[in-house]
Each structure stands twice: as C-alpha cells, then as structure tokens.
C-alpha cells in the first residue's frame, strides 16, 4: 500500500453544552445528541449532501440497538447517505481515538476527509435483567406450543429474577471505582486536598472567562435551552469546595476526592472535521491546526500501578519519536477526570525516580508552565460525557492554535481500564 503521508488538518469542531445527567438531555439519548452535533458541523462547513470518507463516532454507555450509532446518526445529519460510519469505544479517550482513526486514513491517502466525535449519556442507560431471566425468556421463545411456553415461563420462577442490573462504574478486574483508584494515586503521590480544590477552582474560573470572552461562540451550539455547560460554577470558591465531603473514601478520614474536584456524571456530544489540505482548499475551508502524531499506552493497574497513569507513559514515547521535550508546547490540554489525576501526572513527569525506573529516561521530563495548562478550563468545569471529551479538546485546542497564529499543543487523556491516549496538534 502506498503511503502518501498527507498532512491532516483540523478544520474545526462543535459540541452541545455538557450537562449533568438526568437534567436537560434526560430524554435525548446518544442518537439525538449525535445527530445534533453532526448536523451542526454540516451546517457550519457547508457539507449538505457531501460524501465523506468516514464518520467515526463513539459512545461508552449505549444500548445494543445503537450498535452503529455513527452510521445511524450521520443518516440524519445532512451528509450524503453514501458516507460510511463506524462506532468505537475506549472509555474517556474514545473521540480522540476517533480523530486518530480518521487522521491515519487521511495521512495514508485512503480518504480525503472525515468526522470524529462521540456522545455519552448517563441518563439513558441500558438496564438488563438477571442471567436466569434472560435464559428463561430465550427458552420461552424456543418453545413450540402456547402450553409449552407457559410451562417454561413459570417452571422454577423466582421474583428475584426480575431485579434489574444497571451499568457499573467499577473496574471489573478490581471491583474498585475510578474515584477509589484515584484516591490511591493521590496518596501515593502525596497530592493534598487543597491543591486539588485549587485546580478545580481554576478550571471553573478559566471556563467562565472563556465563555464571557466569546471564545466558545462558534464551538458550543445551544441545545435544549442550554447555552453554557451545566456544570460551570463561576461563583464557586475555595471555601465552598473545602466544605464538600469526600465522595469515594468516606470512612478513613483521609479522603481527598470530592464532588467538587472530580467530574460528575454527564450528558453531551462533540465532533470535529478533519481533512487533507487539497480537500479543504477546494472548498475554501481554513485549517486551524494539524494533527501531528498520537500515542496510546496501558498500565498494569491490577498489580499496583495507578489506574490513570498511562498518559505519563504515552507522552514520553510520543515526544521521543518527534524529537520534542515536554517544554516544547504552547498549550497543554490534560483531561481533568479528577484534579488529583492531573496533579499526579505532572508530579510523575517531575520525578527523577519515576522517570528513570518506570519510563527508562536519563532525566525527568520536568515541569510545565501552569499558565499554559487547560487555559480555557477543562472537564472539571465543563463536564465529561465520556466519549465526547476528546473531540471537545481537539476542537478547543485547534481554535487556540489558530488564534495564536502558530504553536504546538499537547493533549493527554486518561481512560478507564488503565489506558491513556495522547496527541500533538500544531500550527506551523
């Protein structure tokens, strides 16, 4: 296969405001949110009736009927129905993964343009029943006569079979939630409550300033009465955050993660348009930034590594491949799953011991300029619909680079399952 290595441009992205579960989007679902953002992207870039090479969307929590959410949503978006669609999931990294999928196809010359995005709802979750009830219903369906069906339905039946099962938030391998894992990380890296609350406060303040300055006017599409993210609290303070009780470690007296410095259960969707330079030029579309490279990594969290530490491994691999240092960036977009997770990541890169023994480096990666970190706020203030966060960050960072005129940005996203997805965006 010929590898043309075409540069991959980010044309732009859109999202709907993110909101708390069981609020504004409670009855919308992944399909409705995905159609909204895809349709908005079609409107913004004049893609009505256009056939794209691929639409890659994702959802972490979805119904079995949504087996190809991307294809179904694009058929209602205004794109040509001859556009293929693929649905993916890698927890919190899903839509950044989708940007990588689309970018790799463009770089290889397989397609000229595509859309990457994701949607998630924790309001409309699939509810399943016990294995015994499922087997009973299948057996009833196989039975030949009405009498046989009745006998199969009632034989050995117990009302306990009707107890529903909801999607779990715990890691299957450990039985611990992501927050419980992050509490362990915070203790290991000596990350205190005050530092976590300070990072959360900064996220809210920066996101509020960005909204007031009009930064999100073309990025966030009003939906269901919302014009801003439902999690945003411009009036929060250190005193208010300090008054919150621990959310995960409620018994030891040493818990530091709270509802204020952790992301809440969210609903929302986001999408970005990527293309090669010729496709964009032909349509008079400007490229905001280029997706230069990406990397994924995983950690052995079952046997002691921090669940959310995989980006600390992915980033130095990517830096080495590109001849860059951690300081060679104008912006750092580190997904704020928890304030503690961001602070653990930064501390690990500053640690001589961790960088030598875990990363195999001769010296620490070093520190970054805090003024360049999540400058327009991030997940703690905006919310975190799992599969939508990556596209939100790509669109935000691409616009920041366009406004600056040149520069380079680093994206780092931790995910459930002990994985991390990272990428480099740049504008020469």
């Amino acid at each position: 296969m010929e590898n043309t290595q075409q540069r991959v441009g980010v044309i732009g992205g859109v999202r709907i405001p993110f909101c708390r579960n069981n609020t504004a989007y409670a009855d919308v679902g992944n399909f409705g949110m995905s159609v909204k953002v895809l349709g908005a992207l079609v409107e913004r870039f004049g893609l009505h009736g256009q056939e794209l090479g691929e639409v890659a969307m994702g959802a972490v929590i979805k119904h079995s009927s949504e087996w190809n959410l991307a294809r179904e949503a694009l058929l209602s978006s205004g794109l040509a129905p001859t556009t293929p669609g693929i649905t993916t999931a890698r927890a919190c990294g899903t839509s950044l993964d989708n940007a990588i999928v689309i970018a790799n196809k463009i770089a290889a010359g397989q397609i000229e343009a595509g859309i990457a995005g994701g949607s998630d709802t924790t309001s409309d979750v699939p509810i399943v029943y016990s294995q015994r009830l499922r087997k009973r219903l299948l057996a009833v369906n196989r039975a030949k006569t009405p009498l046989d069906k009745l006998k199969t339905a009632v034989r050995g039946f117990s009302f306990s079979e009707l107890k529903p099962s909801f999607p779990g938030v715990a890691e299957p391998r450990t039985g611990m939630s992501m927050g419980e894992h992050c509490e362990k990380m915070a203790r290991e890296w000596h990350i205190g409550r005050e530092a976590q609350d300070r990072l959360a406060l900064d996220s809210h303040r920066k996101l509020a300033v960005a909204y007031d300055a009009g930064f999100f006017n073309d990025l966030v599409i009003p939906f269901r009465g919302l014009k801003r993210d439902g999690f945003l609290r411009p009036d929060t303070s250190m005193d208010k955050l300090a008054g919150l009780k621990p959310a995960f470690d409620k018994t030891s007296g040493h818990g530091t993660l709270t509802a204020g410095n952790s992301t809440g259960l969210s609903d929302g969707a986001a999408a970005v348009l990527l293309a090669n330079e010729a496709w964009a030029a032909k349509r008079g579309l400007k490229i905001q930034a280029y997706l230069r490279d990406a990397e994924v990594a995983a950690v052995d969290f079952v046997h002691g590594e921090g669940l959310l530490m995989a980006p600390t491994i992915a980033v130095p691999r990517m830096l080495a491949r590109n001849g860059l240092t951690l300081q060679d960036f104008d912006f750092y977009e580190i997904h704020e799953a928890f304030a503690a997770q961001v602070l653990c990541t930064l501390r690990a890169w500053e640690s001589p011991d961790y960088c030598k023994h875990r990363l195999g480096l001769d010296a620490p990666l070093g520190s970054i300029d805090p003024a360049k970190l999540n400058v327009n706020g991030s997940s703690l203030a905006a919310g975190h619909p799992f599969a939508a966060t990556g596209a939100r960050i790509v669109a935000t960072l691409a616009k920041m680079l366009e406004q600056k005129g040149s520069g380079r940005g680093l994206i780092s996203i931790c995910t459930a399952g002990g994985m991390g997805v990272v990428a480099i965006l740049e504008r020469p």
Side-chain angles (χ1 to χ4, degrees):
M1 182 183 297
E2 182 182 358
N3 190 346
T4 58
Q5 284 298 307
Q6 299 184 61
R7 289 206 297 180
V8 180
V10 179
I11 310 299
V14 296
R15 67 180 178 93
I16 55 176
F18 295 167
C19 69
R20 295 183 184 278
N21 69 332
N22 298 316
T23 58
Y25 308 157
D27 61 341
V28 181
N30 284 320
F31 176 76
M33 293 189 294
S34 297
V35 169
K36 180 64 178 180
V37 295
L38 288 178
L41 207 60
V42 168
E43 289 283 347
R44 180 176 171 187
F45 296 111
L47 302 177
H48 287 282
Q50 294 279 322
E51 178 183 314
L52 300 184
E54 185 81 273
V55 171
M57 294 285 288
V60 178
I61 300 175
K62 63 182 185 296
H63 296 274
S64 57
S65 60
E66 298 172 334
W67 63 271
N68 199 345
L69 177 67
R71 173 63 176 162
E72 295 303 321
L74 78 85
L75 288 172
S76 297
S77 70
L79 290 170
T82 49
T83 300
I86 182 172
T87 302
T88 70
R90 196 207 299 265
C92 315
T94 297
S95 51
L96 179 55
D97 267 310
N98 285 337
I100 297 167
V101 167
I102 298 297
N104 284 340
K105 290 188 175 185
I106 294 171
Q110 296 171 358
I111 64 174
E112 295 181 293
I115 292 174
S119 169
D120 252 303
T121 172
T122 48
S123 300
D124 180 24
V125 299
I127 300 173
V128 298
Y129 290 87
S130 68
Q131 186 179 36
R132 285 186 64 188
L133 182 61
R134 293 198 302 274
K135 287 184 176 181
R136 182 180 299 277
L137 294 174
L138 290 170
V140 169
N141 187 59
R142 290 192 300 269
K144 300 299 183 182
T145 69
L147 182 60
D148 287 341
K149 290 181 183 293
L150 179 62
K151 289 179 178 179
T152 303
V154 300
R155 187 183 299 118
F157 175 76
S158 167
F159 281 103
S160 64
E161 295 178 26
L162 298 177
K163 183 179 180 180
S165 175
F166 296 88
V169 295
E171 288 290 336
R173 295 283 175 167
T174 64
M176 295 169 57
S177 71
M178 190 178 289
E180 290 170 329
H181 273 283
C182 197
E183 278 282 14
K184 291 181 63 177
M185 288 166 50
R187 287 194 292 272
E188 178 184 353
W189 290 98
H190 307 291
I191 304 297
R193 168 75 179 269
E194 184 177 356
Q196 296 175 48
D197 287 349
R198 175 63 63 186
L199 192 146
L201 178 64
D202 288 346
S203 187
H204 283 276
R205 287 179 172 174
K206 288 185 286 190
L207 185 67
V209 167
Y211 267 112
D212 291 343
F215 177 83
F216 291 109
N217 285 354
D218 60 344
L219 291 176
V220 177
I221 308 301
F223 188 49
R224 286 295 183 99
L226 293 183
K227 295 182 179 180
R228 294 190 175 191
D229 301 301
F231 288 87
L232 178 58
R233 295 291 180 268
D235 61 345
T236 194
S237 66
M238 286 296 286
D239 286 341
K240 290 179 180 179
L241 290 169
L244 297 173
K245 296 180 179 180
F248 302 101
D249 180 359
K250 301 178 182 180
T251 58
S252 75
H254 302 292
T256 59
L257 274 69
T258 70
N261 58 40
S262 309
T263 52
L265 294 176
S266 315
D267 296 350
V272 291
L273 174 64
L274 299 99
N276 63 28
E277 292 170 299
W279 187 93
K282 183 178 179 181
R283 288 158 180 79
L285 299 174
K286 296 180 180 179
I287 291 175
Q288 293 183 319
Y290 292 91
L291 181 53
R292 173 169 169 172
D293 200 5
E295 180 80 18
V296 297
V299 294
D300 186 4
F301 69 96
V302 178
H303 297 100
E305 287 194 275
L307 177 73
L308 306 178
M309 295 298 285
T312 66
I313 298 163
V315 165
R317 289 179 185 171
M318 184 173 63
L319 294 178
R321 187 165 60 241
N322 288 272
L324 297 171
T325 71
L326 185 59
Q327 290 70 40
D328 290 337
F329 295 87
D330 300 279
F331 304 110
Y332 301 85
E333 287 288 325
I334 301 180
H335 161 49
E336 297 169 344
F338 305 90
Q341 172 267 323
V342 176
L343 296 170
C344 287
T345 294
L346 297 177
R347 189 158 291 181
W349 287 335
E350 296 169 354
S351 166
D353 182 70
Y354 185 83
C355 288
K356 178 179 180 180
H357 294 106
R358 181 59 183 90
L359 305 182
L361 303 176
D362 294 331
L365 290 174
S367 60
I368 66 172
D369 182 351
K372 298 178 179 180
L373 174 63
N374 297 343
V375 300
N376 288 308
S378 191
S379 305
L380 287 170
H384 173 41
F386 309 121
T389 289
R392 172 189 69 78
I393 291 176
V394 170
T396 299
L397 180 55
K399 181 172 180 177
M400 290 160 57
L401 291 168
E402 181 186 36
Q403 287 186 338
K404 185 177 183 299
S406 65
R408 187 182 295 118
L410 175 68
I411 299 174
S412 172
I413 299 179
C414 60
T415 89
M419 296 177 288
V421 190
V422 304
I424 297 171
L425 263 60
E426 63 181 9
R427 184 180 174 92

